[in-house]
Amino acid sequence: MKVKVIARNPDDYVRETKLDIQRVPRNYDPSLHPFEVSREYTRALNATKLERVFAKPFVASLDGHRDGVNCMAKHAKSLSTLLSGSCDGEVKVWNLSKHECVRTFQAHEGFVRGMVVRYCGTSFFTVGDDKTIKQWKMESPGYGEEEEPINTILGKTVYTGLDHHQNDPVFATCGQQVDIWDEQRSSPIRSFTWGVDSFSSVHFNPVETELLASCASDRSIVLYDMRESTPLKKVIMTMRSNTLSWNPMEAYYFTCANEDYNLYTYDMRYLAKPIMVHMDHVSAVLDVDYAPTGKEFVSASFDKTIRIFAKDGGHSREVYHTKRMQHVICIKWSADNKYILSGSDEMNIRLWKANAAEKLGVLAPREREAANYSQKLKEKFQHHPQIRRIARHRHLPKTIYHQTKELRIMKEARRRKERNVRKHSKPGSVPVVSEKEKHVVTVMK
Amino acid sequence: MAKVSKKKASKKKTRSGGAEQSNEGHPDVVYDDEKEEDATDEDITVEDEDEHDERKRQKLLEAIGTLSGKRKKTLGERSEAAVHMSEFTVNAEGEGDKVDLSDLIGSIEKTPGLSGKSKKRLKNLEQSRKTIECPLSKQESERIRRDLAFQKVSKEVSHWKSVIRQNERAEQLVFPLNQEPSGPKPIERVVMGWKAQTPLEQEVFTLLSANKQPINDPILTPTEEASMKAMSLEEAKVRRAELQKARALQSYYEAKARRQKKIKSKKYHKVLNKAKSKDFQKQFDEMVKRDPAAALEELNKMEMARMQERMSLKHQNSSKWARSKAIMAKYDEGARKAIQQQLEVNKDLTQKLVTSLNKEEEETMEEDGNADVVPDFVNDAEQGLDFSNPWMTGKLSQDCVEKETSNAVTIRAEENVAEEEEVEETEEEVLLREFDSRRKRRQAQEADAAVILTEEEEEENKDASDKEEEELSEFTSLFKGIAEGCGEADTAAELEKELKIRCLEDEELLTQDKEAEEEEEATDKGPVVPQHPPATENGQKTGKSRKRRKGIELKQVLTKGAQVLQVPFAPTIEDAEDSEGKLDQRGLIKEAFAGDDIISDFLKEKRKQEDAGKPKVVDLTLPGWGEWGGGGLQPSCRKRKKFRRKMTPPPPRKDQHLPGVIISEKRSSSIRLHQVNALPFPFESPSVFENTIRSALGRTWNTERTVKKVTKPKVVTKLGAIIEPMTREELVKDKNRASAGSSSSVKS
């Protein structure tokens, strides 16, 4: 009897060293793979579902404050250090990797309004309701020593915000006016006023380091140049902006968090119209911070949620909330682009993942490749209805869900009314005003 | 000064109201007290009198005013211009008090320190009658300043545009931006912060500095740096490429040489040497034509080598090794070969060059060559086989002669004579020699098979005797055939051919095998011996047949894998069993699926679908409309015909010409759920969107490299690294890049 055997040459499938990739004989001729798209679609669907399964963004909660957390500051040189100031004037320094408080001291009487770490990371500044600016050392005092600021400046008015220059010993405060301080002097080297306002926040541009922007109570955002003696420009919006954040990678973009539930991204050269309106919050937005990559930002709102927006996305890609989290007052995006920190009314600081479904830690090469592939698949099929439905699905608290619905109805009603008015009036007398233009009142030179 | 202010005041007055228009030109009388003080002494005296008068008059006026009882005006002293100004306070006498610019700068004329230029300018100023425009209000000026500052800043900020746009377009962004490149750092950066501390180090450093060697930056000495500067980048690149090429070539040659050196086969080396000598000969011939001087030199060199060889005993078989080999040669073929080889070398080296004319020397040399210490049987052994033997290669006719003659020990002396004859022979003697060879051939034939048997024995050494005899008989018959079949004149040529073929075979084998020599021989002879034709054919034919056989041999030698590949897959040899088996299987399948006829089922289904798609005749007749209605009544035939509507046929089905396919053009609701129903935002045409969907990403359909490229994430961050905001260095980098890009584009 003749036995026929299929002969295989090991050269065709055995790799030479174990460092080589596995040789898998494949014929890539597309005519042999008529179902590639449908197969990839299935994979994309599975990847999307798995992403939702693994989306567990909440990492830890840091408790210890005895009042609402009013402000936070990232350490300039250390990823694991966070500073927070509460409404009772207490400042805490946290170790994020250990989830524990390292240092606590009473910095001010009344609120700690603002805090910022010096660019070198050796000291930090705080301002409080007691009309003082204090500079503190970063390392805790030795045994038996008392917590004492390196430097204290007594001001005439309450300071409500504070920011430090990117690489010079200069910082800015705001209150009734915007002041630029030299660290060595006890009086401001420059003060900016433009009408009678009270400012809620001031921020240095991290790229063009001489520029500043502040939000004022007259619903305006004012731009300054540290080198000039006058402010540069002012845009007045329909409602007040609480804070703003500059894009750390794109010099002329900033985003402001507005009381009208929206965020607005402006190009500082063209203030007449924001380049993007970011909607989704259902209450006033209290804080905003850009990701260090400049691709996304995170916002904290009075509606007890945190939302993540793409810098050019009109709606949020992610919403975080927990049952116990109250009004979120301050928010920070960690400097390694991995985490989000939120400080809220109910005295807790929460640590979140920036990408909810991302696996933390070091990935094996194959793992990383698989993640990249599934990410690309999701991107490729993102417009397909089923995939979009699953990817967009979020559970929201009942109140927020209903409020969203209500807002939608209100908006629709307003639009309908406008349409009707336009229909019944002389053509051209009721112009169409785009959503972007609607919210800017004037630009003052 | 006072006058100037007065002027101003008057101006204001003119602006303030039309009533006081008439007062234009008159200087104002009202001015500040302090300004008054500033005025010159003369002025004061004059104005004092004026004032005195004025006061009096005012008092008088006041008195008059009270008299009227209308209103009481208190016109006190004023310190500034005001709207309410009494027309009576206007002083007409002020004309003379007007202060001109000339009054003020009159004294300058006399001051010697002032330059003529400034004097001239002042004069011009004096002559010009223009009034200075009043400055802008604070708000206005601030606004302008702000606007200017803003424009400046926005211009400055706009420099980032290209960087931002580039980052937006980038396929992948890696953060942190200014990452240090991984891998080993250049030594100078590592050493940068290091300083000499120990005395030894210091000593070394003083030495280095004394010799102008680099200390902190241990890469280039000043001279090296200068040379680097001297060489442009392009040059350096070209040079480096050249060096690389040279290095690569060298390594190739080295590898080749090593490989060749490793080859143990003596035959190979023999062939190689022969080729080399041939090459050399060729070159030498050329050189003689081209460059006689160099050729002469070469000749001298060769002569020198020959002389040295003759003087030395290097290859004279007189060494210890040679002697031992000579003893061994009786039993060991290898030893015999070795000795022979050495002899060859000796012969080669001691051979007088062809160009030389003196025969006598040649003769003597030959004699020297013959007068060896080596026993004769070394030479005798397998001379028939060894083609590298110079005696055989050079003159073939003699070769065969030798071959025959040397076989028999008895012909030894004769052979020696023959050799001597050869040496002395000239071209004229060729004929003579041929005759001689024929004679010898005849003798050889007479010497019969036994002679050849010995030869064969020597060749193979181990074969069974009966087999050998068989072969031998074949061999002899071949020879006989050669001798008898064709003229004797041919035989030499034929033999030559044969030999050549064998040579070829040897060479081919050489290229292929790296086995031991014995094996080689076995493969060499294995096919040769049994395939001797049965001696009926003539010599020519045998030669041809050998050639053909050689071809077959080649195929055999070829790797079997290739042959297997050439065999087509499907029509393999169909054995009876196989076909039976297949039939069995077929039958089995038939048996298994005997009940269902899939094809006809499919056709039926298709027909059903086609029928369903066909338009139906619609009957729109309404019974009872315009006619009598009721049970059992039929609408009239005419009406039915009239209201029967034929629908237009649908477009032809897509599967019209595809018998084995049903294509349904209906929308499937289950699939529709998963389909995109509107063109998504960033896309502008459906075709673009479809293209993005069509191309697969996975490694099932793409090569590894493509997959890596396609699935590259947009943003890559380093774990645990702080991402700093963008710095101005990026801007500079971008500018450099842009300038480099523009320059390159200009170049290309």
Side-chain angles (χ1 to χ4, degrees):
Chain A
M1 190 189 156
K2 226 178 195 176
V3 178
K4 283 192 174 179
V5 184
I6 299 166
R8 289 215 173 105
N9 187 357
D11 288 347
D12 295 338
Y13 56 87
V14 175
R15 50 184 180 168
E16 281 176 7
T17 68
K18 69 172 189 178
L19 299 173
D20 288 355
I21 48 169
Q22 288 284 4
R23 296 180 78 176
V24 187
R26 279 206 177 104
N27 194 342
Y28 296 120
D29 181 7
S31 65
L32 297 176
H33 301 284
F35 296 116
E36 51 183 10
V37 177
S38 28
R39 283 174 74 188
E40 284 220 315
Y41 175 78
T42 317
R43 285 182 194 179
L45 199 62
N46 288 340
T48 320
K49 285 175 183 171
L50 282 178
E51 186 208 298
R52 284 292 89 214
V53 169
F54 290 124
K56 304 265 185 261
F58 182 70
V59 178
S61 166
L62 312 173
D63 54 341
H65 273 299
R66 281 169 291 183
D67 207 336
V69 183
N70 198 41
C71 56
M72 291 193 298
K74 288 183 277 190
H75 195 283
K77 299 285 170 200
S78 157
L79 277 173
S80 60
T81 312
L82 176 82
L83 295 92
S84 64
S86 70
C87 295
D88 59 355
E90 201 177 51
V91 168
K92 274 179 184 286
V93 182
W94 303 88
N95 186 334
L96 289 178
S97 47
K98 288 180 184 167
H99 303 170
E100 65 180 20
C101 178
V102 186
R103 182 181 168 197
T104 312
F105 60 92
Q106 190 71 28
H108 294 279
E109 285 163 31
F111 283 45
V112 180
R113 285 291 177 184
M115 59 196 317
V116 67
V117 179
R118 199 166 180 272
Y119 57 91
C120 59
T122 52
S123 64
F124 63 95
F125 297 85
T126 57
V127 291
D129 268 355
D130 53 359
K131 302 180 187 174
T132 52
I133 306 167
K134 286 178 181 173
Q135 187 182 4
W136 307 83
K137 263 189 192 160
M138 189 53 84
E139 67 259 28
S140 42
Y143 181 75
E145 285 178 45
E146 263 187 45
E147 285 279 7
E148 278 206 344
I150 307 171
N151 212 348
T152 308
I153 299 167
L154 293 169
K156 287 176 191 129
T157 55
V158 176
Y159 299 107
T160 53
L162 175 71
D163 197 16
H164 201 282
H165 191 274
Q166 196 63 34
N167 40 28
D168 279 338
V170 170
F171 64 93
T173 59
C174 64
Q176 287 189 359
Q177 62 196 18
V178 172
D179 294 324
I180 312 286
W181 304 75
D182 193 323
E183 279 179 14
Q184 305 302 321
R185 301 187 188 186
S186 58
S187 58
I189 51 172
R190 190 148 286 164
S191 295
F192 297 109
T193 48
W194 190 347
V196 185
D197 299 318
S198 65
F199 294 93
S200 57
S201 73
V202 64
H203 286 278
F204 270 105
N205 187 335
V207 187
E208 279 290 326
T209 47
E210 262 64 43
L211 301 182
L212 300 108
S214 70
C215 300
S217 60
D218 67 342
R219 304 166 296 156
S220 69
I221 297 163
V222 191
L223 298 178
Y224 310 91
D225 187 344
M226 216 174 80
R227 298 158 292 191
E228 305 283 341
S229 58
T230 51
L232 299 177
K233 213 163 210 184
K234 176 162 156 179
V235 57
I236 297 179
M237 304 178 71
T238 47
M239 286 184 92
R240 189 169 73 96
S241 297
N242 286 314
T243 48
L244 58 81
S245 176
W246 290 93
N247 190 325
M249 289 293 158
E250 300 177 353
Y252 42 75
Y253 292 124
F254 65 86
T255 302
C256 62
N258 207 287
E259 284 279 329
D260 64 359
Y261 314 170
N262 294 339
L263 292 113
Y264 301 95
T265 299
Y266 278 99
D267 184 336
M268 66 157 277
R269 298 167 299 168
Y270 315 109
L271 289 174
K273 184 171 130 180
I275 57 163
M276 188 54 81
V277 183
H278 311 273
M279 307 190 249
D280 264 353
H281 279 297
V282 292
S283 189
V285 190
L286 298 182
D287 200 4
V288 59
D289 192 34
Y290 258 97
T293 58
K295 296 276 170 205
E296 288 173 322
F297 61 81
V298 62
S299 65
S301 168
F302 198 74
D303 63 9
K304 307 173 191 176
T305 60
I306 297 164
R307 280 180 188 270
I308 300 172
F309 293 86
K311 71 163 196 225
D312 48 4
H315 290 274
S316 58
R317 77 156 168 85
E318 194 68 78
V319 56
Y320 295 160
H321 58 85
T322 63
K323 220 173 197 175
R324 297 186 177 190
M325 188 162 71
Q326 295 302 310
H327 315 304
V328 192
I329 294 171
C330 49
I331 195 114
K332 289 280 177 231
W333 198 309
S334 76
D336 61 348
N337 197 33
K338 288 265 186 267
Y339 300 98
I340 286 166
L341 295 143
S342 69
S344 44
D345 243 3
E346 88 304 333
M347 306 178 264
N348 281 327
I349 296 166
R350 286 190 170 76
L351 184 63
W352 308 83
K353 285 197 275 185
N355 279 321
E358 191 184 38
K359 194 190 167 202
L360 292 180
V362 183
L363 292 179
R366 286 180 64 191
E367 238 176 335
R368 198 184 317 119
E369 270 166 34
N372 289 346
Y373 177 49
S374 60
Q375 183 57 37
K376 279 287 156 178
L377 279 183
K378 277 180 258 167
E379 268 170 40
K380 182 182 167 186
F381 290 101
Q382 63 186 337
H383 303 294
H384 288 250
Q386 286 299 299
I387 287 177
R388 195 179 52 206
R389 184 183 63 82
I390 295 164
R392 280 177 52 78
H393 182 83
R394 296 285 183 282
H395 172 255
L396 279 177
K398 202 174 178 184
T399 49
I400 293 169
Y401 180 72
H402 286 298
Q403 245 171 314
T404 320
K405 240 174 162 181
E406 197 183 311
L407 281 174
R408 202 183 302 138
I409 291 163
M410 283 160 68
K411 204 173 160 191
E412 183 52 43
R414 239 175 267 141
R415 228 176 61 199
R416 196 173 57 239
K417 180 165 187 180
E418 206 184 289
R419 207 170 53 226
N420 289 340
V421 167
R422 191 170 298 123
K423 212 193 285 176
H424 296 290
S425 52
K426 192 177 153 193
S429 62
V430 185
V432 183
V433 184
S434 71
E435 184 67 34
K436 287 175 188 171
E437 287 162 337
K438 238 179 238 174
H439 303 280
V440 176
V441 178
T442 49
V443 179
M444 288 174 73
K445 279 183 180 174
Chain B
M1 293 294 281
K3 297 296 166 180
V4 174
S5 74
K6 266 196 298 188
K7 251 188 177 174
K8 225 190 228 174
S10 73
K11 224 177 197 175
K12 271 186 187 164
K13 247 165 57 183
T14 55
R15 257 194 229 150
S16 61
E20 274 125 350
Q21 287 277 340
S22 57
N23 296 337
E24 207 175 16
H26 297 279
D28 199 348
V29 200
V30 186
Y31 32 76
D32 294 351
D33 291 311
E34 46 177 290
K35 279 174 188 170
E36 205 177 319
E37 281 166 19
D38 289 347
T40 54
D41 289 2
E42 295 165 359
D43 279 341
I44 288 170
T45 51
V46 175
E47 276 167 24
D48 267 354
E49 281 175 9
D50 282 351
E51 210 171 55
H52 194 65
D53 288 346
E54 201 184 60
R55 274 188 190 159
K56 273 185 181 170
R57 213 172 53 200
Q58 267 194 347
K59 271 189 181 168
L60 182 72
L61 284 171
E62 262 176 61
I64 293 164
T66 47
L67 281 176
S68 70
K70 234 179 183 178
R71 61 177 176 144
K72 191 178 179 185
K73 248 186 194 171
T74 50
L75 283 169
E77 278 185 49
R78 283 177 183 275
S79 61
E80 59 177 90
V83 183
H84 303 288
M85 186 82 71
S86 167
E87 58 190 271
F88 305 110
T89 56
V90 175
N91 192 358
E93 293 163 3
E95 284 284 338
D97 300 331
K98 191 176 181 184
V99 178
D100 277 335
L101 194 60
S102 56
D103 297 338
L104 293 174
I105 59 174
S107 57
I108 284 169
E109 299 269 309
K110 288 150 204 166
T111 47
L114 221 63
S115 65
K117 205 177 174 184
S118 51
K119 274 178 191 169
K120 206 174 184 181
R121 217 186 278 166
L122 282 168
K123 237 175 207 174
N124 282 342
L125 200 72
E126 204 180 336
Q127 278 160 9
S128 68
R129 286 274 159 206
K130 255 193 258 171
T131 49
I132 299 161
E133 278 180 41
C134 74
L136 285 173
S137 67
K138 196 188 168 196
Q139 284 83 357
E140 290 241 320
S141 64
E142 281 224 320
R143 175 183 292 180
I144 288 164
R145 234 193 297 166
R146 279 198 297 258
D147 205 27
L148 281 176
F150 177 76
Q151 273 168 18
K152 197 176 124 200
V153 164
S154 67
K155 202 174 164 192
E156 204 175 292
V157 160
S158 295
H159 292 164
W160 289 98
K161 201 170 176 182
S162 62
V163 179
I164 291 170
R165 192 168 290 171
Q166 209 177 337
N167 282 355
E168 255 164 24
R169 278 189 203 146
E171 281 185 8
Q172 187 173 45
L173 285 176
V174 181
F175 294 105
L177 287 173
N178 42 5
Q179 244 174 2
E180 275 193 12
S182 60
K185 285 175 197 163
I187 189 76
E188 66 267 24
R189 213 180 296 167
V190 179
V191 172
M192 205 63 141
W194 187 67
K195 270 183 185 173
Q197 284 167 340
T198 61
L200 177 66
E201 279 170 3
Q202 278 164 359
E203 211 169 302
V204 168
F205 270 70
T206 48
L207 257 177
L208 282 176
S209 59
N211 292 324
K212 284 188 179 174
Q213 293 293 318
I215 298 164
N216 263 340
D217 236 24
I219 23 167
L220 297 175
T221 58
T223 49
E224 278 171 336
E225 246 168 28
S227 72
M228 280 289 282
K229 270 175 195 165
M231 197 190 289
S232 76
L233 184 66
E234 273 74 36
E235 271 177 64
K237 270 182 185 166
V238 168
R239 208 177 124 64
R240 200 181 63 168
E242 273 173 12
L243 278 174
Q244 268 175 344
K245 201 182 169 187
R247 230 173 291 140
L249 277 176
Q250 195 186 348
S251 72
Y252 293 154
Y253 282 128
E254 270 172 13
K256 199 182 172 188
R258 230 173 281 140
R259 206 176 58 237
Q260 283 183 345
K261 205 180 161 193
K262 252 189 199 168
I263 296 172
K264 280 178 185 164
S265 161
K266 279 169 187 164
K267 268 182 191 171
Y268 169 78
H269 282 291
K270 250 178 244 164
V271 171
L272 197 74
N273 283 337
K274 220 183 259 177
K276 264 186 192 167
S277 66
K278 229 181 220 173
D279 258 11
F280 178 73
Q281 192 63 37
K282 229 184 230 172
Q283 274 183 0
F284 184 73
D285 286 347
E286 267 181 36
M287 214 187 272
V288 167
K289 276 173 201 166
R290 260 189 304 126
D291 192 2
L296 203 67
E297 214 166 272
E298 199 71 17
L299 213 64
N300 281 339
K301 241 188 230 170
M302 272 147 67
E303 189 64 30
M304 207 47 198
R306 196 175 66 85
M307 275 155 76
Q308 270 176 355
E309 179 62 26
R310 285 189 65 187
M311 274 173 6
S312 74
L313 298 173
K314 203 172 173 190
H315 294 103
Q316 302 283 13
N317 283 341
S318 56
S319 66
K320 205 175 176 186
W321 173 82
R323 261 179 276 141
S324 72
K325 284 282 163 185
I327 293 161
M328 287 300 291
K330 223 171 204 172
Y331 316 104
D332 190 8
E333 201 186 348
R336 224 175 300 157
K337 271 187 177 175
I339 290 177
Q340 203 146 18
Q341 217 167 359
Q342 216 192 17
L343 264 179
E344 247 172 68
V345 172
N346 185 30
K347 256 172 206 165
D348 275 346
L349 282 167
T350 49
Q351 210 160 28
K352 186 71 184 166
L353 293 166
V354 194
T355 45
S356 59
L357 294 167
N358 36 0
K359 265 185 182 174
E360 296 93 346
E361 232 184 64
E362 212 174 329
E363 276 178 34
T364 53
M365 186 197 75
E366 284 299 317
E367 277 163 12
D368 278 344
N370 286 342
D372 279 344
V373 201
V374 192
D376 281 333
F377 60 82
V378 173
N379 283 335
D380 298 346
E382 44 174 37
Q383 265 185 343
L385 257 189
D386 209 342
F387 306 105
S388 51
N389 194 327
W391 297 104
M392 306 188 78
T393 50
K395 296 130 193 175
L396 255 172
S397 53
Q398 287 151 16
D399 279 353
C400 4
V401 170
E402 265 179 283
K403 194 178 171 188
E404 259 80 41
T405 51
S406 62
N407 288 335
V409 190
T410 49
I411 320 170
R412 167 70 38 73
E414 210 177 78
E415 186 218 61
N416 276 349
V417 172
E419 271 182 25
E420 276 177 20
E421 274 173 9
E422 272 167 30
V423 172
E424 283 165 8
E425 85 183 341
T426 55
E427 276 118 342
E428 302 132 28
E429 287 177 344
V430 171
L431 264 173
L432 223 167
R433 213 184 65 225
E434 261 186 10
F435 275 119
D436 189 45
S437 70
R438 274 175 211 166
R439 187 172 45 86
K440 271 169 192 166
R441 170 74 35 80
R442 244 172 262 137
Q443 280 178 355
Q445 279 168 18
E446 283 159 15
D448 89 54
V451 177
I452 307 160
L453 178 91
T454 52
E455 188 201 10
E456 287 294 318
E457 263 186 331
E458 273 169 354
E459 276 183 350
E460 294 179 11
N461 270 337
K462 58 197 168 178
D463 283 353
S465 60
D466 50 337
K467 204 183 174 185
E468 222 168 83
E469 270 175 2
E470 235 179 81
E471 287 161 9
L472 276 172
S473 64
E474 276 178 18
F475 213 84
T476 46
S477 59
L478 170 73
F479 271 119
K480 272 178 187 169
I482 291 161
E484 287 163 11
C486 53
E488 286 195 343
D490 292 353
T491 51
E494 255 120 45
L495 266 174
E496 191 181 355
K497 255 187 200 168
E498 210 172 306
L499 287 168
K500 266 189 184 169
I501 290 162
R502 291 193 75 173
C503 269
L504 274 169
E505 281 172 15
D506 284 356
E507 275 183 350
E508 274 168 9
L509 279 168
L510 258 180
T511 53
Q512 288 170 3
D513 75 335
K514 278 162 193 171
E515 295 163 35
E517 275 211 293
E518 276 179 52
E519 251 180 273
E520 221 173 83
E521 274 178 56
T523 50
D524 195 1
K525 281 160 204 164
V528 176
V529 177
Q531 281 181 19
H532 278 297
T536 50
E537 297 155 28
N538 59 9
Q540 203 111 38
K541 272 194 174 174
T542 55
K544 274 185 184 173
S545 73
R546 278 201 169 194
K547 267 185 187 170
R548 229 176 287 141
R549 198 206 57 229
K550 198 193 81 191
I552 294 160
E553 209 178 16
L554 254 178
K555 267 183 193 169
Q556 278 179 343
V557 166
L558 272 174
T559 49
K560 279 175 183 173
Q563 272 181 343
V564 167
L565 272 177
Q566 281 165 2
V567 173
F569 283 109
T572 43
I573 316 138
E574 281 202 8
D575 294 341
E577 303 165 38
D578 264 23
S579 58
E580 265 176 41
K582 271 182 189 172
L583 273 175
D584 279 353
Q585 226 167 13
R586 225 172 258 168
L588 263 173
I589 289 166
K590 259 187 186 173
E591 214 175 302
F593 293 98
D596 44 316
D597 189 358
I598 311 161
I599 297 170
S600 69
D601 280 355
F602 180 80
L603 286 177
K604 261 182 216 164
E605 200 179 329
K606 187 170 179 181
R607 200 163 302 141
K608 212 191 275 172
Q609 293 230 353
E610 276 171 1
D611 288 342
K614 267 177 194 166
K616 280 160 197 153
V617 178
V618 184
D619 195 358
L620 293 171
T621 44
L622 288 170
W625 191 260
E627 275 176 348
W628 283 109
L633 276 174
Q634 281 282 322
S636 72
C637 205
R638 187 177 53 86
K639 201 174 182 185
R640 258 190 290 174
K641 219 181 246 176
K642 196 181 172 186
F643 286 103
R644 198 171 274 197
R645 290 280 151 80
K646 266 193 181 174
M647 305 307 282
T648 49
R653 289 176 66 90
K654 274 185 183 169
D655 55 4
Q656 209 175 13
H657 304 296
L658 303 169
V661 183
I662 299 173
I663 298 175
S664 169
E665 288 177 61
K666 277 182 195 164
R667 268 189 162 187
S668 164
S669 58
S670 60
I671 290 174
R672 217 176 73 192
L673 204 65
H674 294 272
Q675 280 174 330
V676 181
N677 47 16
L679 190 65
F681 160 58
F683 298 100
E684 275 162 358
S685 75
S687 63
V688 176
F689 177 62
E690 275 164 19
N691 272 338
T692 60
I693 295 297
R694 202 175 296 138
S695 57
L697 307 173
R699 63 185 72 237
T700 323
W701 306 284
N702 292 306
T703 57
E704 193 68 20
R705 188 169 293 186
T706 324
V707 170
K708 270 206 177 138
K709 202 176 149 199
V710 164
T711 60
K712 240 180 6 182
K714 274 209 145 186
V715 173
V716 176
T717 54
K718 203 178 157 196
L719 210 61
I722 292 178
I723 303 170
E724 298 281 355
M726 199 173 268
T727 52
R728 260 168 235 241
E729 287 152 32
E730 294 293 317
L731 197 60
V732 178
K733 258 191 237 167
D734 180 66
K735 264 183 192 166
N736 290 342
R737 223 178 292 141
S739 64
S742 68
S743 67
S744 72
S745 69
V746 165
K747 267 182 192 173
S748 64

